[in-house]
Amino acid sequence: MRTTLVFGILAAALLLLLPFGLTVGGVELTVSQIVEALRGGDDAVTRYIVVENRLPALITAILSGAALSVAGLLMQTCFNNPLAGPSIMGISSGSSLGVALVMMFAGGIAGAWGNLAVITGALAGAFVVLILLTAVSAVLRSGDALLIAGILIGYLASSVISLLSFFSSAQGVHGYVMWGLGSFSTVGLDRLPLLAVLSLALLAASALYIRSLNALLMGERFASNVGISVRRVRTGLLALSGALTAVVTAWCGPIGFIGLVVPQVARISLRSSNHAKVLPATALCGAVAGLLCQIISVAPTLSEGGAIPLNAITPVLGVPVIIYVLLNRRRLLYFQ
């Protein structure tokens, strides 16, 4: 009963927020104008605003929120730590380093080739870190040691970014800083299909690990006794969560807190750690969180205040949840 109620509420929230998001933005549009634009009406300006601007941003928010949330869930179970997240392992820092190299050496980029260069740099940086972590995981048996290694790699990448910023031009630094604020609105119709294919494929692949994830909740010894190769599963989970994070970061910039907070909300709502329930609930809750963040970010444009960066919104929504988890960690019993 509780599971049905939670999924019903999340689905209803998603179905309500998506059309509502189409009405929020710098240009006030009526419901009839939006419907006409979606049907391919004659008003080219309205059609551009709705179909090529707002709708892609909302779909990007859904995909990105789900991807980051599932990545966080995989990491938290992999390391048996409810406070682990996609940015902890240095994947986001690797993506940021790749983009910093592109932007700061190029002195600012624009156009289709510029977007391609940013995406390529972000993916390359993330997967270099991912390769390093995979190599380290083959040596380190302890999940805690691997977690520390990821944190150190992230610090190293951040240090290199600081050095690049010091020697780069003002234009290059400005471009990188703007990218680092995070935005779902930068993904247009031309870039959305690839993001959708990659993120949905990776989300589907994560469902294949449900049995292994549930076994890991019982401890590494139990997982080994039921025939699961802990090292192989951990490497697979690391690669999958890293890929989910890298794809979102490449298209939207580094976005914090969603991957850390949403799995907590899903577990608290379901009062369960069974990944057959928690994983789809986390994806759905992440999609709702992404939509909510997107709507909040563009709402000030109604008063010509400009869009709020995503990374200025996610901590405000996420920190109270983390504080609640810290204060009630023993009572929540996530991993039992």
Side-chain angles (χ1 to χ4, degrees):
M1 180 65 181
R2 186 179 187 87
T3 301
T4 303
L5 179 62
V6 170
F7 277 96
I9 292 174
L10 290 175
L14 189 65
L15 293 176
L16 289 173
L17 286 174
L18 181 57
F20 176 71
L22 293 174
T23 67
V24 180
V27 178
E28 294 188 39
L29 299 174
T30 64
V31 174
S32 59
Q33 286 178 304
I34 293 173
V35 172
E36 187 64 22
L38 292 173
R39 294 173 59 185
D42 296 330
D43 190 339
V45 175
T46 302
R47 191 169 63 250
Y48 172 82
I49 293 172
V50 174
V51 177
E52 298 189 33
N53 188 291
R54 294 183 185 178
L55 185 59
L58 293 172
I59 295 175
T60 299
I62 291 173
L63 295 171
S64 300
L68 289 173
S69 300
V70 170
L73 175 66
L74 298 182
M75 284 194 167
Q76 288 169 12
T77 304
C78 180
F79 297 108
N80 198 33
N81 187 339
L83 296 179
S87 59
I88 294 295
M89 297 304 297
I91 304 295
S92 295
S93 296
S95 292
S96 298
L97 177 57
V99 173
L101 287 169
V102 171
M103 287 189 168
M104 295 182 190
F105 279 126
I109 51 180
W113 286 109
N115 290 330
L116 180 61
V118 169
I119 292 173
T120 302
L123 290 174
F127 280 103
V128 166
V129 173
L130 195 56
I131 290 170
L132 288 174
L133 290 174
T134 303
V136 171
S137 68
V139 178
L140 298 177
R141 295 180 178 272
S142 170
D144 291 338
L146 184 58
L147 190 62
I148 293 172
I151 294 173
L152 293 177
I153 291 174
Y155 278 127
L156 182 61
S158 299
S159 177
V160 175
I161 291 171
S162 298
L163 289 173
L164 289 174
S165 300
F166 181 79
F167 291 105
S168 180
S169 65
Q171 185 180 10
V173 173
H174 178 266
Y176 172 76
V177 170
M178 295 303 296
W179 174 84
L181 295 175
S183 175
F184 295 137
S185 300
T186 57
V187 181
L189 282 177
D190 56 334
R191 301 167 62 189
L192 182 59
L194 183 57
L195 171 63
V197 169
L198 291 174
S199 57
L200 290 175
L202 292 169
L203 286 171
S206 65
L208 301 177
Y209 282 89
I210 287 178
R211 176 176 174 271
S212 299
L213 289 165
N214 284 335
L216 286 175
L217 290 176
M218 306 301 294
E220 294 184 7
R221 181 172 297 179
F222 174 85
S224 298
N225 288 338
V226 297
I228 292 175
S229 174
V230 174
R231 181 176 297 183
R232 185 180 302 171
V233 167
R234 180 176 289 152
T235 301
L237 291 174
L238 182 60
L240 191 55
S241 57
L244 284 165
T245 305
V247 167
V248 175
T249 305
W251 266 259
C252 308
I255 299 171
F257 278 93
I258 290 180
L260 177 62
V261 170
V262 171
Q264 317 289 353
V265 176
R267 291 192 190 97
I268 292 171
S269 301
L270 292 171
R271 293 182 182 174
S272 172
S273 291
N274 182 359
H275 285 79
K277 300 176 182 179
V278 174
L279 194 147
T282 297
L284 194 55
C285 189
V288 172
L291 271 179
L292 185 61
C293 289
Q294 172 62 17
I295 291 171
I296 294 174
S297 71
V298 299
T301 58
L302 291 172
S303 59
E304 298 182 358
I308 302 174
L310 288 176
N311 283 324
I313 298 171
T314 53
V316 176
L317 300 178
V319 167
V321 177
I322 300 302
I323 293 174
Y324 177 82
V325 170
L326 290 173
L327 294 177
N328 298 274
R329 187 171 178 179
R330 292 184 179 180
R331 188 166 57 87
L332 291 175
L333 301 175
Y334 285 130
F335 297 97
Q336 293 189 12

